[in-house]
Amino acid sequence: MARPLDVLNIGVPDPRPEPAMPSACETHGCGGAEEQAQPLPAFGVVTVDGHEIDEEQIAEEMPHHPAPSGEEAWRAAAQALVVRHLLMREAVRRGLSGEDTAVAGKRDTDEEVMIKALLDDVVSDAVPTEEECERYYRANRHRFRTPTLYEVSHILIEPEESTGDDGWEAAKAQARTIIAAIGDDHEAFAEAAREFSGCPSGQQDGSLGQIRRGELVQQVQMHIEATEPGTVNPEPVRSKHGWHVIRLDRIIEGQELPFEVAKDKIADLLEARSWTVSAMQVVQSLADEAEIEGVILDAPPAEEDQRQGTLAA
């Protein structure tokens, strides 16, 4: 099983885009303002046994650690660099070497190869038993379900951009007029979608197909779930694209997966969790032997029934 370095939080990007309407509802011509150069953050000097972690390194690492504030991102970046330094130093002490390798189109640097080799040496695998997997399954049945699906159609009424707030109010009024005119009639909804919708889905009678939670922006998803199956919601809902008239055709409830279907994924999850805990304890043992200033490394979690990794000489 692959052992990604991101489990130790040492510098893997974590982009988390906001859920959006399906591609049929995407608008064009979006642009961003040019970024202005910002001064490097400085929240203190970080050293490991007298070796200073350069502030420019910390600044370069920060984008890999999104956080609510610059100080939190700085702290996470500094911690990641301290961990990397501790692991590299131990790899060198053990005489490990690395060379660039390409796996699945991704090139690992010498440093990454050496860290992976070190972790392979010092962290033991803990393959869970079937009994452990069954116990986890019984305690987490809610996690092993097929997703609930919503068969949804919509009519998008876009405001005229040049009219500002008045355009949004006019679009809302038009959406309400459409709702009043079509009621819950499926054919009337389809006809209105073809005639009025500003979304390409209008040419498919407004159908968005089967939607899972998280695929639409939150306010639209909540509106869908507040709609009775087979009806049009009596109020339109606003998104950045305009006002949406929502019809919910049906709900397909998720089904619980049997243990036999879920057990392989559970085994992978428990093995990965055990490995991560052991790896973090290896890092902590290295940190305990070092003099670290400027940041505090988080203590590794203690979990029952986990085989713990040790740093053998």
Side-chain angles (χ1 to χ4, degrees):
M1 181 168 57
R3 307 302 189 188
L5 299 184
D6 59 322
V7 299
L8 296 176
N9 198 30
I10 59 175
V12 177
D14 183 23
R16 299 179 185 179
E18 177 185 356
M21 294 296 291
S23 57
C25 296
E26 290 300 319
T27 56
H28 301 283
C30 296
E34 294 185 2
E35 294 184 3
Q36 296 182 348
Q38 298 294 326
L40 293 177
F43 298 105
V45 176
V46 178
T47 63
V48 182
D49 289 331
H51 171 84
E52 184 174 346
I53 306 296
D54 189 85
E55 63 180 17
E56 290 188 4
Q57 286 182 285
I58 298 175
E60 290 174 0
E61 181 72 16
M62 283 177 64
H64 301 314
H65 305 273
S69 70
E71 184 173 356
E72 291 174 89
W74 181 91
R75 186 181 302 112
Q79 289 173 335
L81 291 172
V82 167
V83 169
R84 190 180 300 167
H85 179 81
L86 290 170
L87 291 173
M88 273 299 299
R89 190 170 66 176
E90 180 63 17
V92 171
R93 187 186 75 81
R94 288 170 177 259
L96 299 174
S97 62
E99 57 185 42
D100 283 1
T101 58
V103 179
K106 179 184 180 297
R107 181 164 293 280
D108 287 341
T109 64
D110 281 357
E111 185 176 271
E112 290 170 329
V113 171
M114 291 174 69
I115 290 175
K116 287 178 179 178
L118 171 66
L119 294 175
D120 284 343
D121 278 354
V122 300
V123 179
S124 59
D125 287 329
V127 179
T129 65
E130 184 154 328
E131 180 183 356
E132 289 173 325
C133 292
E134 284 187 289
R135 185 163 62 246
Y136 184 89
Y137 174 79
R138 289 194 299 270
N140 297 275
R141 285 179 180 269
H142 64 284
R143 298 185 61 183
F144 302 102
R145 296 179 60 87
T146 59
T148 296
L149 301 176
Y150 301 84
E151 286 191 0
V152 180
S153 300
H154 83 141
I155 301 170
L156 173 63
I157 306 300
E158 298 175 300
E160 293 185 21
E161 294 183 5
S162 61
T163 57
D165 290 343
D166 289 342
W168 280 93
E169 286 302 315
K172 182 178 183 181
Q174 184 183 359
R176 283 179 164 168
T177 298
I178 291 172
I179 291 171
I182 64 177
D184 294 325
D185 185 271
H186 187 275
E187 290 301 321
F189 184 97
E191 183 177 344
R194 292 192 297 270
E195 182 176 356
F196 299 112
S197 184
C199 175
S201 65
Q203 302 310 305
Q204 287 79 48
D205 300 339
S207 175
L208 293 175
Q210 294 180 344
I211 301 299
R212 301 181 183 190
R213 280 196 183 100
E215 291 184 340
L216 303 181
V217 292
Q218 185 177 13
Q219 66 268 33
V220 175
Q221 181 66 42
M222 292 174 62
H223 204 72
I224 290 169
E225 295 185 25
T227 305
E228 288 292 326
T231 72
V232 173
N233 195 293
E235 286 292 330
V237 60
R238 179 173 173 168
S239 77
K240 66 179 181 180
H241 302 288
W243 288 94
H244 303 262
V245 176
I246 297 293
R247 176 181 174 84
L248 176 60
D249 291 307
R250 66 170 177 152
I251 300 174
I252 304 171
E253 294 291 347
Q255 301 295 314
E256 187 175 283
L257 296 174
F259 174 70
E260 289 303 314
V261 173
K263 69 177 182 179
D264 288 344
K265 289 185 178 180
I266 295 173
D268 287 345
L269 183 151
L270 294 181
E271 184 177 353
R273 176 184 292 176
S274 175
W275 186 92
T276 300
V277 171
S278 297
M280 291 175 69
Q281 290 178 337
V282 167
V283 170
Q284 189 63 48
S285 70
L286 292 172
D288 289 343
E289 296 173 1
E291 184 176 343
I292 299 171
E293 297 183 358
V295 293
I296 299 174
L297 296 185
D298 296 329
E303 294 196 16
E304 295 181 1
D305 302 323
Q306 295 284 2
R307 299 180 190 177
Q308 310 302 335
T310 60
L311 256 181

